[in-house]
Amino acid sequence: MAVRRVLLRIFSATASSAVLMLPAEGQEWTASQPDQLPPVTITAPNATPPKRIARPKQPQNRGARSRTAVRSNQPVTAGAGGVTPGTSSDGAAALQPTAASAISFTGEQVNAVPFVRVGEALEVVPGLIVTQHSGEGKANQYFLRGFNLDHGTDLSIKVDGMPVNMPTHGHGQGYADINFLIPELIQSVNVRKGPYYADVGDFSSAGSVAIDYLNKLPKNLAEVTFGSFGHRRGVAAGSTAVGAGTMLAAVESIKYDGPWDVPDNVRKMNGVLRYSQGTATDGLTLTAMAYSNGWNSTDQVAQRAIDQGIIGRFGSLDPTDGGTASRFSLSGNWAQSSEYGQSKVNAYVVRSDLQLFNNFTYFLDNPVNGDQFNQLDRRTLGGFDARHAFDWRFGGFETQTRVGMQSRYDDIHVGLFKTEQRAVLSTVREDRVQEGNVGIWADTTTRWNDWLRTTVGIREDVFAGRVLSDTPENSGNAQATITSPKAGIVLGPWYKTEFYGNAGYGLHSNDIRGATITVDPIDKVTPQDRVPLLVRSKGAELGFRTKAIEGLTSSVAVFVLDFDSELLFVGDAGTTEASRPSRRVGVEWVNQYKPKPWLSFDLDVAYTRARFTDFDAAGNFIPGAPAWIASGAITLGSETGWFGALKARYFGPRPLIEDDSVRSLASLIFNARAGYRFDNGLKLQLDVLNLFNARTNQIEYYYLSRLPGEPIGGVADRHVHPAEPLAVRLTLAGRF
């Protein structure tokens, strides 16, 4: 209280207040963010508020209390539309993120545009492509900043503080299955790109996405959707007061066949039960989630099979491919404010099961029984994230320091088996893995004057584990430690514009089986080289964000990101493969324009030059790395009456082999929505997906495969998974 009286006395003569505590490094705080510490505002009196032939899937399947006051020269906000991200629960404005590429979105923004599958909800992230090369129960494929991220290798995804990425996974390192997400429950999506943030570690070099759920629904919801290709969806969600808190419950059911000759037969069930009490700064939440899914899959098929009329465009070369998945979790978030600062703890336990059956090469390896294989991943994981923030003065300058610890432990049963029509023929390898990591971090943000603030941080990560393999030579222990310094600077605002500079070191982990392997798991004799458990990344970014034009928020970020080596565990083969050092240089331009409360426009354009940096006669292009990605959207409507949306997404051509002699097609797909909200809470909505029926592909690869009767050595070909044709979905929803 004495400190507060002194501060009020110092600033009482001014109409604006200086910032004593800044938001989390590189990101604004929203009331829903479990991994960020919120600002609390003290406003002074009278203040104004504010040509090598690749093997299939090798590039893809790897194996306190803040005290913030508002200055009269308002900083630029990172969000657009609805509640401005970075605004605390009491309406006080928070400061700008410390990177031009950091941005937040509300759940309303996410759900305002139509999408084919739930993973595409993440395409609200500028420059991110989310697609699928298999059945709808499998994790999506992600592309960002010149990376083919496979199923999540360098894109960290969290839901309510729980990590989604899976290390040492049966299908690929960093596997991030977001199919358990219920879009209607999203409160915010908070995006940070690059290795500049001390509080994020593994899998985050390209970017990190933190998705937060609502604690309370504005109104209860019941919704049904019917659509083309057997699409059926039902959702019911509601919240009510229970004792001193709020109980929220939601269930979702989906049935979908798709346009495929062999129906996907998706059978998905989802559930959430959540109890919350108090506020984001002094309160707690307890959440249980359950997810189950089963499906068939039409994986990518050889283009020559379509051209020769062996199968149709939506046909399958192995109708028994598919899988099952389930996920059950318990998590809790606790926060407390005191005279000593703001503390927050998140803890979770997750049980995850996955069975995948894939056949990418048909009869190349086994001309008799075919090349189908089964990937098994069963694990129990648990962990916590604890952090504390406090203010102090550094030589008279207002400063905030944050410290934190994160830990995670995975107990994994992982296996790879040769199969025929889902019947096991032989075991390639089967392992029990115990793997854990601890990250300790700290950062300090100092405001030197009204137009300059800096952040410096450091992170120490320790990874360790052991592998018990069915091939004893591949058993063993592995551990590694890596230190990652970070720094950022913000200049401004001047004329409603701020400038940013960021640099930092990061990492991603490799499959721990690659760090203990000594022999080929198939023949048990051929030596295999071990790879490091951790791979270093380093990056830098310059940019600005401006609101100089009324209603328009525009940002530009220029970045560079280096990897010492893109070392990968090839899940399909059960071996490791070391690729080459790489560099990505790019620029992102993000625009959000809201001329009227009922009308908004979005335009995002990203370009990246991705190259290997060493010499190899095969070439220096990185297979699958996109150069151009763009999206644009128009949304309109109010709480009642007519509403609509139109979104376009451009996915540029990519090199498919190192010399760039084979390239993928580009794709441009439009989705549209029109509907009406009645005064009584009913809503009728029509979505038209792939509005112009573009005949393009979701994904393309180039590798060797063999169809019956072809040469024993196989044929190099483009392998594609087509985009779904035009489809309509009609939704009837009620809010009460």
Side-chain angles (χ1 to χ4, degrees):
M1 294 302 295
V3 174
R4 181 180 298 183
R5 286 194 297 271
V6 170
L7 294 175
L8 290 175
R9 187 175 301 117
I10 292 174
F11 295 110
S12 60
T14 67
S16 61
S17 307
V19 176
L20 298 184
M21 188 163 185
L22 300 173
E25 179 192 358
Q27 186 172 359
E28 297 172 331
W29 178 85
T30 62
S32 63
Q33 286 178 245
D35 61 346
Q36 298 289 349
L37 297 175
V40 174
T41 299
I42 297 177
T43 305
N46 303 319
T48 302
K51 201 168 285 186
R52 169 180 295 172
I53 304 304
R55 292 289 292 164
K57 288 287 290 174
Q58 288 182 359
Q60 291 80 30
N61 290 315
R62 327 261 206 242
R65 185 170 55 174
S66 289
R67 288 174 294 222
T68 304
V70 181
R71 291 180 291 152
S72 56
N73 187 2
Q74 283 288 353
V76 184
T77 57
V83 179
T84 302
T87 302
S88 65
S89 57
D90 63 359
L95 280 178
Q96 186 65 3
T98 62
S101 58
I103 191 167
S104 297
F105 300 92
T106 65
E108 289 180 351
Q109 290 172 285
V110 173
N111 287 285
V113 296
F115 38 80
V116 176
R117 54 189 54 87
V118 66
E120 290 180 8
L122 299 190
E123 287 190 349
V124 69
V125 177
L128 177 64
I129 292 290
V130 181
T131 187
Q132 181 59 270
H133 72 93
S134 186
E136 292 302 325
K138 190 176 180 180
N140 296 109
Q141 186 128 7
Y142 306 96
F143 294 82
L144 179 70
R145 286 201 160 183
F147 283 89
N148 176 355
L149 294 162
D150 189 29
H151 300 289
T153 308
D154 288 291
L155 176 65
S156 171
I157 301 176
K158 292 185 176 181
V159 174
D160 257 12
M162 293 181 289
V164 180
N165 304 77
M166 300 293 181
T168 309
H169 190 271
H171 187 69
Q173 180 70 351
Y175 188 88
D177 182 359
I178 202 69
N179 281 299
F180 67 91
L181 185 72
I182 301 179
E184 289 83 358
L185 298 186
I186 295 174
Q187 174 159 307
S188 64
V189 176
N190 305 291
V191 182
R192 293 181 288 176
K193 300 176 185 176
Y196 323 128
Y197 310 102
D199 61 337
V200 290
D202 199 11
F203 304 125
S204 64
S205 292
S208 62
V209 179
I211 302 167
D212 302 324
Y213 270 2
L214 292 159
N215 289 338
K216 181 180 180 180
L217 293 171
K219 292 184 178 181
N220 298 331
L221 167 70
E223 180 177 303
V224 292
T225 301
F226 300 90
S228 305
F229 310 119
H231 185 272
R232 305 288 186 269
R233 180 176 186 257
V235 181
S239 57
T240 186
V242 175
T246 300
M247 183 71 74
L248 181 150
V251 293
E252 176 194 46
S253 176
I254 291 181
K255 176 73 171 64
Y256 182 56
D257 288 332
W260 318 106
D261 294 350
V262 178
D264 266 4
N265 192 24
V266 172
R267 309 168 303 281
K268 181 168 86 168
M269 292 292 298
N270 233 335
V272 174
L273 186 65
R274 182 179 183 94
Y275 179 77
S276 59
Q277 191 178 93
T279 67
T281 57
D282 286 279
L284 62 87
T285 64
L286 299 172
T287 306
M289 299 184 188
Y291 160 75
S292 178
N293 201 350
W295 67 94
N296 301 321
S297 64
T298 297
D299 292 326
Q300 69 264 17
V301 296
Q303 182 67 51
R304 65 187 183 278
I306 300 174
D307 296 340
Q308 295 170 15
I310 298 173
I311 59 173
R313 185 163 177 262
F314 300 105
S316 173
L317 290 170
D318 191 334
T320 63
D321 288 351
T324 60
S326 64
R327 182 186 184 277
F328 303 91
S329 68
L330 291 172
S331 63
N333 292 284
W334 170 86
Q336 185 177 68
S337 300
S338 71
E339 294 298 322
Y340 303 101
Q342 171 73 41
S343 300
K344 191 168 185 63
V345 178
N346 162 256
Y348 54 87
V349 60
V350 180
R351 172 66 183 184
S352 172
D353 291 83
L354 177 69
Q355 288 264 18
L356 285 177
F357 295 89
N358 296 310
N359 186 348
F360 302 126
T361 53
Y362 321 123
F363 292 92
L364 179 65
D365 296 329
N366 190 330
V368 177
N369 299 311
D371 297 349
Q372 189 185 72
F373 56 91
N374 167 225
Q375 292 166 314
L376 165 72
D377 190 280
R378 293 174 178 160
R379 70 179 65 209
T380 301
L381 65 103
F384 69 88
D385 182 337
R387 55 185 65 198
H388 181 76
F390 58 94
D391 359 325
W392 57 293
R393 299 188 73 83
F394 174 72
F397 299 100
E398 299 102 354
T399 301
Q400 177 198 40
T401 292
R402 302 187 307 152
V403 295
M405 174 182 287
Q406 298 153 342
S407 183
R408 171 176 173 171
Y409 174 80
D410 289 64
D411 187 353
I412 311 165
H413 177 199
V414 61
L416 177 63
F417 310 92
K418 298 289 187 180
T419 58
E420 181 183 12
Q421 297 182 15
R422 302 199 185 191
V424 175
L425 301 176
S426 63
T427 299
V428 176
R429 69 177 299 170
E430 190 170 8
D431 307 276
R432 294 302 301 261
V433 178
Q434 290 82 41
E435 181 175 4
N437 63 77
V438 176
I440 301 173
W441 61 273
D443 62 31
T444 295
T445 302
T446 302
R447 172 170 290 283
W448 303 95
N449 53 42
D450 284 346
W451 52 266
L452 172 64
R453 65 184 187 272
T454 59
T455 300
V456 293
I458 193 166
R459 182 181 182 91
E460 182 83 4
D461 285 284
V462 180
F463 285 70
R466 68 171 185 168
V467 177
L468 181 62
S469 179
D470 60 346
T471 302
E473 294 88 344
N474 290 333
S475 298
N477 300 322
Q479 63 180 33
T481 302
I482 196 166
T483 303
S484 305
K486 328 274 186 174
I489 185 171
V490 182
L491 302 171
W494 297 298
Y495 302 103
K496 298 183 179 180
T497 303
E498 288 186 333
F499 300 87
Y500 309 87
N502 303 89
Y505 288 81
L507 74 146
H508 81 216
S509 63
N510 280 315
D511 191 306
I512 196 172
R513 293 173 293 176
T516 64
I517 196 170
T518 61
V519 298
D520 188 295
I522 297 177
D523 64 23
K524 319 294 184 187
V525 175
T526 303
Q528 293 287 321
D529 294 330
R530 293 180 173 179
V531 299
L533 183 56
L534 301 179
V535 178
R536 164 67 75 200
S537 65
K538 48 185 176 291
E541 179 176 306
L542 294 174
F544 68 88
R545 181 179 287 106
T546 182
K547 289 192 71 175
I549 299 175
E550 185 66 28
L552 173 65
T553 301
S554 186
S555 66
V556 173
V558 179
F559 67 89
V560 58
L561 183 59
D562 293 347
F563 268 98
D564 288 348
S565 174
E566 297 192 10
L567 298 174
L568 310 168
F569 186 92
V570 184
D572 299 344
T575 60
T576 57
E577 177 181 278
S579 98
R580 301 149 57 188
S582 62
R583 165 166 287 189
R584 290 165 173 85
V585 180
V587 59
E588 295 173 335
W589 182 37
V590 178
N591 301 274
Q592 300 171 314
Y593 181 49
K594 196 171 183 67
K596 301 289 183 181
W598 51 269
L599 178 64
S600 65
F601 300 87
D602 296 271
L603 175 64
D604 308 326
V605 180
Y607 172 78
T608 305
R609 184 182 186 274
R611 299 290 188 271
F612 291 117
T613 55
D614 65 345
F615 174 78
D616 191 310
N620 67 345
F621 288 82
I622 301 176
W628 288 99
I629 291 174
S631 67
I634 303 172
T635 58
L636 53 90
S638 301
E639 291 186 3
T640 59
W642 291 101
F643 66 93
L646 177 66
K647 179 175 181 179
R649 182 255 256 174
Y650 176 75
F651 189 16
R654 289 85 63 199
L656 298 183
I657 57 177
E658 287 93 329
D659 66 3
D660 197 31
S661 61
V662 182
R663 294 176 63 80
S664 73
L665 299 176
S667 68
L668 176 61
I669 295 177
F670 290 81
N671 294 334
R673 168 176 293 169
Y676 192 87
R677 296 186 182 96
F678 297 89
D679 293 339
N680 60 4
L682 287 178
K683 178 182 76 172
L684 189 64
Q685 172 181 297
L686 178 68
D687 290 348
V688 183
L689 308 169
N690 196 354
L691 177 64
F692 300 110
N693 200 26
R695 289 177 61 89
T696 186
N697 297 317
Q698 292 193 52
I699 197 72
E700 297 185 28
Y701 311 118
Y702 189 78
Y703 56 81
L704 286 167
S705 63
R706 180 178 179 270
L707 302 175
E710 291 185 333
I712 198 69
V715 176
D717 194 11
R718 189 187 306 265
H719 293 73
V720 304
H721 188 69
E724 290 93 332
L726 184 147
V728 296
R729 295 178 183 176
L730 182 65
T731 299
L732 177 64
R735 297 181 181 272
F736 51 93

